[in-house]
Amino acid sequence: MVIKKNEKALEDVIEAYLLEDSGYTKGFPSNFDAELALDPPTVISFIKATQPKEWQKLESFHGADTESKVIQRLVQVLGRDGMLKVLRKGFDFYNVRIKMAYFKPASGLNPETAERYNKNILSVTRQVYYSTRNRNSLDMVLNLNGLPIATVELKNQFTTQTVEHAKKQYRQDRDPKETIFQFQKRALVHFAVDTDEVYMTTELKGKSTFFLPFNKGYNKGAGNPTDPEGGFRTSYLWREVWQKDSMLEIIQRFLHLQVEEKIVDDKKIVKEKMIFPRYHQLDVVRKLQEDVYQQGPGKNYLIQHSAGSGKSNSIAWITHRLSNLHNQQDQLVFDSVIVITDRRVLDKQLQDTIYQFEHAQGVVRKIDQDSRQLSEAIKSGAKIIISTIQKFTYIVEQVEEQAGKNFAIIIDEAHSSQTGESASALKEVLAAKSLEEAQALQEELDEARDETEERILKTLSKRGQQSNLSFFAFTATPKAKTLEMFGQKGSEGTPEPFHLYSMRQAIEEGFILDVLQNYMTYKTYFKLAKMVQEDPEMEKKKANRAIARFVSLHPHNLGQKTEVMIEHFRRVTMHKIQGRGKAMVVTSSRLHAYRYKIEFDRYIKRMGYTDLRTLVAFSGSIQEDDGEEYTEEKINSIKENELPEKFSSDDYQVLIVAEKYQTGFDQPLLHTMFVDKKLSGIQAVQTLSRLNRTQPGKLDTFVLDFVNEAEDIQKAFLPYFEQTMIEKETDLHLLYDLKSKLDDYQIYWDSEVDAFSKAFFIPSNKQRKEDLGKLHRYVDPAVDRYNEKPEDEQDEFKSSLTSYVRLYSFISQISPFQSVELHKLHAYGQLLLKKLPKQGDAGGLSLDNEVELEYYRLEETGKGSISLVQENQPKLKGITDAGAGSRPEDEEVALSTIIEVLNERFGTEFSGADKLFFDQIEEDMMEDEDIQQSAKNNTKDNFKYVFDEVFLNKAIERMGQNQEIFAKLMDDPSFQSTVKAWLLDSVYGKLHA
């Protein structure tokens, strides 16, 4: 017998398991009504079997029309309330309440409800023709009592089809207007599945459809492990998740309609999102519930979930679950669940979530500061209580007094508190008046923070394990002591989390970005910039001049660092995320933040930049030398609570912070961080992680660190990451070596890269839909040639191309590349990588999301590369006062005496040989056409404006010939002013004659 290898074979396996082992019945495509998008015979059968009295009452009114009228009313209510609400609450029809699903009761005290639960009909229907307009069909539809709850597209790698093809099918071939796909009204979730991976979405939006991975994770990263029972890597989907009890529980206790309201231009904007749990969320809630059910109260749990894990939803789900959990004797396990958090959003989220689950208000009691109210809530047995970390010790004392009662205490980010010694130390740090003082005080603050967290641990360790208290600590970055207190012994005898969703998995699954992929110390930034500046083969003259400014600006004072940051922002950051990229400047004290704000605004004004505005954020106030007191609100001229929303708008681009917003601040448009503060340990992870939030079109991030060493930052991240992140050395010439190596494979042709570039590098206002098709047309031949190569060559080429694309992206953050060939290959290679088959695809294409491609095109066409965006440098002014000039009356002094004068005035030890540096600058100025024209036709006062612009560029071009004088020239404004005055007199005198 020949084993089947096609999609039908996978359908057979899944259907057989669901029917034989998961409590499903077989659905028939002929019963599915495409216009109504439901299975009317099954709907009627379920109602009659579970609610005979209600059906008899309806039949007495409507007789033979009862079935059609019930279906008609059901469709009407589905259109009004949506599928989820109808399944949970049912619908009214002529004063008769009809239930459309029965869910498992929290306890076994109601046998009638349990009996009705067993009468739910879960069916799996294959090849469902869902449309009245065409003969398109879905591979599978999962129905609950005749109502579609999930659609499925299956692919089998043996047919050269992958999960990417299934996602593309949903995006391109499944019209969201079809009834079965209408958001909320019918199917609640859509699965794209192959034998290795699973993705899901709750809303189809055509090409904009966003799929979430629904994978278990593998080796603490993305993907799935092999099936221990010898099946597919994705067998868990139908064996665990789609199993009858599991799907009913997900509908009853997980699915949640998240509603966000915003006021934009005085109009209320409402956004709705259906939340279906990701696999790790489903897994942690169920495993915690099962362990508590088996063990009872009195145990501690540590849940280490990275940023991007959806921790708020996980906490909401486990809170609700624990508040209703009954033990084996059908008794409530916990009298109250207390959630300790500093997140304001969690309160509303818990209220909304639990209202949808129970349709009950007032279940959640929020207590901020009032100890009396907190005490009353605990004593009265309030089901769910939310309070802050400041009340932790008091809460523990109160619950200990409640004899015979059990409590679950959920701690959200236990280490994030800033109270007691921590608060006092923080105030001292923020008030520091020098960088050195701030760094010393920062060490004290870190110790104080440790003490704050330690207080929680001491509070628990003093009392020992309490048989009536269970603690659940959720954190992305547990310290060693937290692991010891809340962790459980692993196979090696050391404490480990009860459940893990690592930073690595979050990054690989695309929920957060790797903030260390483009991390750079100033030392490396300087080194790389200098390498670019000194390599004329690679860069044109204009790029040399631009990058040399960075080489020259050593970070000795705020003014010089300000110039580095602003110019980097304008050259790189502002072109990211479709021109909406933002930056954060992290400073060590309030004074530093305020001074940076002054320097930023001064430089922006001097340069005439109208597209860059700044905000500052710090707590409390500072007093300047003039006695004036400044607060955040006074400086920004906006209210403190309005700052996040203002910064989110297009009105502001840079946020300068002192401690504030370094944790718990989610702004997806943040692309770049400039760090001028000592960071270590958890604080380094939390601070840099402000950049990791994803956003459509956000392809990378960038960190420029003036203070910390790369090794220290890497050391801070490693315990929470699971892989090495920071690039140690960057060799610019490697780009050319890699390109030469890639060319030799002859997988892509130069003619294809050129044709691709003509279609790719088009201004956004001239792009057409057909241009996207052209991009695929020029990349596809390379994919075909790749597939014909031996496997070892495929691996080598793909690895080399990946290195090339990443290295180019990294270096282009530092220098404005002018190498057209390198840049074209980078754009081409980026998209070629997306289309190369994954390992095990048997030559099938991994088709990318067209939306991501569009974003990438906009990103590239908006970059400062191959003259797509010109450097916004002030232009020389023309003749301003023609014919009005005259010979200067100033006393002329021979330029040869300048070294002597400079040594005498500034205490330097320059020799006569150093005069050559100034002689050459003078010659360069004399040969400049703009200088010549302006000197002949302007007064010396007007000529000075042109001279000042050209002088610095000429000095930069000569910097390599005398680093000592050049550094003095850049670091000492008074020295620079003197030199410029001498040179101006000399050049103007000679040219104006």
Side-chain angles (χ1 to χ4, degrees):
M1 185 180 78
V2 178
I3 297 175
K4 296 178 183 177
K5 301 177 183 178
N6 55 16
E7 284 174 29
K8 187 176 180 300
L10 185 56
E11 286 181 34
D12 291 340
V13 170
I14 296 173
E15 183 189 50
Y17 192 89
L18 292 177
L19 296 178
E20 295 168 15
D21 299 284
S22 291
Y24 279 67
T25 61
K26 186 175 180 65
F28 298 96
S30 58
N31 285 348
F32 187 83
D33 187 314
E35 186 176 353
L36 304 179
L38 49 83
D39 179 347
T42 305
V43 171
I44 299 302
S45 176
F46 167 76
I47 297 173
K48 286 181 177 180
T50 57
Q51 300 151 87
K53 291 179 182 178
E54 287 81 356
W55 185 262
Q56 188 176 8
K57 192 173 181 180
L58 289 175
E59 211 165 28
S60 67
F61 282 109
H62 304 289
D65 295 331
T66 304
E67 292 188 7
S68 62
K69 287 187 178 293
V70 166
I71 295 296
Q72 184 181 359
R73 176 59 177 164
L74 172 59
V75 169
Q76 184 183 35
V77 178
L78 282 169
R80 183 193 70 193
D81 293 343
M83 177 67 75
L84 185 58
K85 190 172 181 180
V86 167
L87 286 172
R88 284 181 177 160
K89 306 301 174 189
F91 64 97
D92 287 311
F93 183 43
Y94 284 94
N95 206 31
V96 176
R97 189 72 176 173
I98 301 295
K99 299 279 287 182
M100 282 310 302
Y102 286 92
F103 298 105
K104 185 176 285 189
S107 70
L109 299 177
N110 192 332
E112 184 182 349
T113 306
E115 183 182 349
R116 288 184 173 181
Y117 171 78
N118 291 326
K119 290 184 177 179
N120 284 305
I121 305 168
L122 256 95
S123 58
V124 52
T125 311
R126 295 171 59 175
Q127 298 305 315
V128 176
Y129 294 94
Y130 61 84
S131 176
T132 57
R133 301 175 228 168
N134 53 52
R135 291 292 291 167
N136 285 354
S137 66
L138 286 156
D139 290 338
M140 279 187 171
V141 175
L142 306 184
N143 303 280
L144 174 57
N145 303 321
L147 301 180
I149 55 174
T151 72
V152 186
E153 289 293 352
L154 298 168
K155 300 299 170 189
N156 189 338
Q157 279 89 333
F158 286 142
T159 62
T160 72
Q161 297 271 302
T162 73
V163 70
E164 296 298 328
H165 292 82
K167 288 155 67 175
K168 183 180 180 183
Q169 202 166 10
Y170 271 121
R171 289 186 179 117
Q172 296 186 359
D173 302 336
R174 305 291 178 245
D175 186 353
K177 294 177 183 177
E178 294 280 5
T179 307
I180 194 172
F181 300 128
Q182 288 179 12
F183 177 61
Q184 282 196 68
K185 307 308 179 186
R186 291 297 188 277
L188 297 168
V189 62
H190 311 280
F191 289 99
V193 185
D194 66 16
T195 58
D196 290 341
E197 292 187 280
V198 180
Y199 283 80
M200 58 91 173
T201 184
T202 56
E203 183 177 8
L204 296 187
K205 298 180 180 178
K207 290 186 177 181
S208 300
T209 302
F210 182 70
F211 280 91
L212 297 169
F214 192 80
N215 298 312
K216 299 179 77 168
Y218 182 52
N219 284 340
K220 298 180 182 177
N224 286 305
T226 56
D227 179 36
E229 297 181 29
F232 306 109
R233 288 180 184 267
T234 52
S235 293
Y236 65 91
L237 182 64
W238 48 93
R239 288 178 181 168
E240 300 173 25
V241 182
W242 290 350
Q243 192 267 346
K244 182 177 179 179
D245 290 337
S246 170
M247 284 300 284
L248 283 163
E249 183 191 44
I250 289 171
I251 293 169
Q252 179 190 12
R253 296 178 172 178
F254 283 97
L255 271 166
H256 170 64
L257 184 65
Q258 183 175 296
V259 182
E260 294 181 0
E261 295 183 359
K262 287 185 178 181
I263 304 297
V264 180
D265 297 329
D266 296 325
K267 293 182 180 179
K268 185 166 77 171
I269 305 296
V270 179
K271 284 188 176 181
E272 294 182 330
K273 182 190 294 185
M274 186 67 71
I275 304 297
F276 190 96
R278 287 150 58 187
Y279 183 83
H280 70 273
Q281 294 174 313
L282 195 65
D283 192 52
V284 70
V285 172
R286 287 176 169 174
K287 283 181 176 174
L288 281 172
Q289 175 183 296
E290 180 60 24
D291 199 79
V292 174
Y293 177 78
Q294 296 292 341
Q295 304 285 337
K299 184 177 175 181
N300 294 343
Y301 301 87
L302 176 64
I303 298 93
Q304 183 181 343
H305 280 194
S306 164
S309 67
K311 223 172 1 252
S312 292
N313 279 321
S314 297
I315 290 173
W317 285 319
I318 195 60
T319 299
H320 176 254
R321 192 62 55 88
L322 293 177
S323 71
N324 289 287
L325 182 62
H326 287 70
N327 60 22
Q328 298 171 41
Q329 289 74 44
D330 278 332
Q331 299 168 328
L332 271 174
V333 176
F334 299 111
D335 294 273
S336 295
V337 178
I338 303 171
V339 182
I340 298 173
T341 180
D342 287 325
R343 285 195 241 191
R344 296 175 183 175
V345 297
L346 194 55
D347 168 49
K348 183 180 185 304
Q349 190 164 347
L350 268 172
Q351 298 274 17
D352 292 346
T353 302
I354 288 166
Y355 179 77
Q356 288 190 34
F357 291 157
E358 300 188 3
H359 211 68
Q361 296 170 325
V363 175
V364 180
R365 297 274 300 277
K366 182 182 179 184
I367 312 291
D368 285 327
Q369 298 298 330
D370 194 322
S371 298
R372 182 180 55 81
Q373 287 182 336
L374 178 57
S375 178
E376 288 177 359
I378 292 173
K379 289 176 181 176
S380 66
K383 202 170 184 181
I384 296 171
I385 301 168
I386 296 185
S387 190
T388 59
I389 200 77
Q390 290 86 346
K391 293 292 181 185
F392 178 76
T393 303
Y394 181 79
I395 288 169
V396 174
E397 291 172 354
Q398 287 293 305
V399 297
E400 282 183 337
E401 295 176 5
Q402 309 304 307
K405 290 186 176 181
N406 299 321
F407 297 89
I409 300 180
I410 297 175
I411 304 174
D412 176 21
E413 297 283 0
H415 58 262
S416 64
S417 166
Q418 293 177 4
T419 59
E421 292 92 338
S422 178
S424 301
L426 175 58
K427 289 176 183 176
E428 291 183 22
V429 172
L430 293 175
K433 293 186 176 180
S434 70
L435 180 60
E436 293 74 19
E437 182 185 357
Q439 288 174 347
L441 289 169
Q442 183 66 47
E443 294 177 7
E444 295 180 20
L445 172 60
D446 292 338
E447 291 175 8
R449 280 189 175 129
D450 288 343
E451 288 175 19
T452 302
E453 182 175 346
E454 204 164 298
R455 187 187 295 115
I456 295 174
L457 303 175
K458 282 180 180 177
T459 300
L460 302 180
S461 59
K462 278 181 186 177
R463 292 164 169 81
Q465 199 84 3
Q466 306 274 326
S467 61
N468 69 324
L469 299 182
S470 288
F471 289 89
F472 303 81
F474 281 79
T475 179
T477 51
K479 289 185 177 179
K481 292 179 181 178
T482 307
L483 268 168
E484 289 173 18
M485 176 59 70
F486 295 103
Q488 60 183 20
K489 287 257 180 99
S491 56
E492 298 181 5
T494 55
E496 60 184 32
F498 176 83
H499 200 273
L500 173 68
Y501 179 78
S502 71
M503 186 186 299
R504 176 183 176 183
Q505 186 172 351
I507 289 170
E508 290 181 0
E509 290 189 339
F511 289 106
I512 58 174
L513 296 169
D514 183 355
V515 298
L516 299 188
Q517 188 170 359
N518 293 317
Y519 175 91
M520 209 166 237
T521 63
Y522 187 82
K523 182 165 51 176
T524 306
Y525 191 83
F526 178 95
K527 176 182 176 182
L528 186 56
K530 192 170 186 296
M531 188 188 302
V532 174
Q533 190 268 334
E534 291 180 347
D535 191 351
E537 289 183 14
M538 190 171 297
E539 301 297 321
K540 292 183 178 179
K541 189 174 182 180
K542 179 180 177 183
N544 282 342
R545 189 178 303 131
I547 204 63
R549 293 182 61 78
F550 293 117
V551 177
S552 67
L553 296 177
H554 298 280
H556 295 320
N557 59 57
L558 300 186
Q560 291 179 336
K561 281 184 276 192
T562 293
E563 181 171 351
V564 171
M565 289 187 276
I566 291 178
E567 292 304 330
H568 180 96
F569 179 89
R570 300 197 78 258
R571 187 172 55 79
V572 179
T573 309
M574 69 184 296
H575 304 301
K576 298 288 185 175
I577 321 177
Q578 290 81 59
R580 300 190 67 202
K582 297 179 185 290
M584 177 181 281
V585 181
V586 177
T587 72
S588 57
S589 72
R590 285 183 292 216
L591 182 62
H592 282 82
Y594 171 70
R595 294 272 174 87
Y596 262 128
K597 167 73 172 167
I598 299 300
E599 286 292 339
F600 263 69
D601 291 351
R602 180 184 294 146
Y603 184 85
I604 289 167
K605 183 177 180 181
R606 177 162 64 86
M607 299 302 290
Y609 296 152
T610 59
D611 50 6
L612 179 55
R613 295 178 70 192
T614 67
L615 289 169
V616 69
F618 59 80
S619 300
S621 62
I622 59 166
Q623 195 167 40
E624 265 291 25
D625 296 336
D626 58 5
E628 186 77 19
E629 192 171 87
Y630 293 94
T631 64
E632 174 189 307
E633 287 193 2
K634 184 175 181 179
I635 298 168
N636 293 327
S637 298
I638 61 173
K639 292 180 181 179
E640 182 181 4
N641 60 2
E642 294 178 353
L643 188 145
E645 188 174 345
K646 290 286 186 183
F647 185 57
S648 184
S649 72
D650 292 335
D651 296 335
Y652 296 93
Q653 291 72 39
V654 177
L655 179 62
I656 304 167
V657 305
E659 195 69 30
K660 206 170 182 182
Y661 296 118
Q662 284 179 233
T663 60
F665 179 57
D666 291 343
Q667 175 46 260
L669 293 174
L670 264 183
H671 172 275
T672 298
M673 184 174 286
F674 302 107
V675 179
D676 197 18
K677 171 185 179 177
K678 187 67 177 175
L679 298 173
S680 61
I682 285 175
Q683 191 194 27
V685 178
Q686 291 181 327
T687 299
L688 297 181
S689 292
R690 294 313 96 210
L691 295 177
N692 68 20
R693 298 313 189 257
T694 58
Q695 168 82 8
K698 185 176 179 181
L699 306 174
D700 53 23
T701 63
F702 182 79
V703 179
L704 177 57
D705 195 329
F706 291 95
V707 177
N708 303 283
E709 295 295 330
E711 290 77 9
D712 295 332
I713 298 297
Q714 185 180 50
K715 183 180 178 182
F717 268 78
L718 277 172
Y720 316 109
F721 196 89
E722 299 300 327
Q723 69 179 38
T724 304
M725 299 78 63
I726 300 174
E727 298 282 354
K728 290 295 180 66
E729 292 293 333
T730 302
D731 183 356
L732 221 59
H733 299 93
L734 181 59
L735 275 175
Y736 284 104
D737 295 340
L738 282 170
K739 183 180 183 303
S740 177
K741 182 179 179 180
L742 289 167
D743 289 345
D744 290 343
Y745 284 99
Q746 297 187 57
I747 286 176
Y748 56 80
W749 292 354
D750 290 342
S751 58
E752 292 163 353
V753 176
D754 290 340
F756 172 93
S757 299
K758 288 177 182 177
F760 188 86
F761 293 107
I762 300 174
S764 57
N765 61 338
K766 294 183 180 179
Q767 292 176 8
R768 300 163 301 173
K769 288 184 179 179
E770 53 265 32
D771 292 329
L772 283 174
K774 289 182 180 178
L775 300 183
H776 284 280
R777 191 164 75 234
Y778 299 132
V779 170
D780 286 345
V783 177
D784 293 337
R785 296 185 201 107
Y786 173 90
N787 289 331
E788 293 170 2
K789 296 284 185 179
E791 189 173 331
D792 58 339
E793 282 192 37
Q794 289 182 353
D795 292 341
E796 290 172 7
F797 176 83
K798 194 171 186 179
S799 175
S800 298
L801 185 58
T802 301
S803 298
Y804 176 88
V805 167
R806 181 169 179 177
L807 182 61
Y808 187 96
S809 297
F810 182 59
I811 293 175
S812 67
Q813 300 256 22
I814 312 305
S815 58
F817 265 96
Q818 299 296 319
S819 174
V820 176
E821 295 306 312
L822 291 179
H823 190 65
K824 287 195 297 188
L825 181 57
H826 170 252
Y828 183 89
Q830 184 91 358
L831 299 185
L832 175 56
L833 278 173
K834 287 178 175 288
K835 297 205 72 172
L836 291 181
K838 294 180 182 179
Q839 193 171 11
D841 275 6
L845 298 184
S846 177
L847 299 176
D848 60 293
N849 183 350
E850 297 290 358
V851 176
E852 291 180 4
L853 179 57
E854 289 181 25
Y855 282 133
Y856 180 69
R857 278 178 90 221
L858 290 173
E859 174 89 3
E860 283 297 328
T861 56
K863 245 179 166 181
S865 307
I866 59 172
S867 301
L868 296 171
V869 173
Q870 297 296 325
E871 291 289 332
N872 188 6
Q873 297 175 340
K875 295 182 179 174
L876 296 172
K877 306 203 185 290
I879 300 171
T880 57
D881 197 7
S886 59
R887 290 294 299 271
E889 297 179 1
D890 306 53
E891 179 182 356
E892 292 187 12
V893 180
L895 188 60
S896 59
T897 64
I898 192 169
I899 295 296
E900 181 181 338
V901 173
L902 292 174
N903 283 337
E904 183 178 338
R905 180 170 176 181
F906 295 99
T908 50
E909 297 181 358
F910 298 133
S911 66
D914 295 322
K915 168 182 172 293
L916 178 63
F917 179 73
F918 298 107
D919 285 343
Q920 289 172 328
I921 291 178
E922 181 184 26
E923 288 178 16
D924 292 342
M925 301 283 279
M926 297 282 289
E927 294 173 1
D928 189 280
E929 293 181 4
D930 293 302
I931 287 288
Q932 292 171 1
Q933 187 180 34
S934 188
K936 290 176 182 177
N937 297 289
N938 285 281
T939 63
K940 188 160 77 168
D941 286 341
N942 287 332
F943 171 70
K944 182 178 183 298
Y945 296 112
V946 179
F947 177 89
D948 285 347
E949 291 291 345
V950 177
F951 167 78
L952 191 57
N953 287 331
K954 299 300 183 186
I956 287 171
E957 289 173 5
R958 293 288 184 181
M959 63 175 287
Q961 297 176 8
N962 197 319
Q963 289 281 356
E964 187 177 5
I965 290 185
F966 182 80
K968 180 73 174 173
L969 197 65
M970 301 307 297
D971 293 345
D972 190 333
S974 179
F975 180 84
Q976 184 183 121
S977 178
T978 302
V979 171
K980 284 164 66 176
W982 283 97
L983 281 172
L984 187 145
D985 285 345
S986 177
V987 172
Y988 187 79
K990 293 175 181 177
L991 292 177
H992 194 75

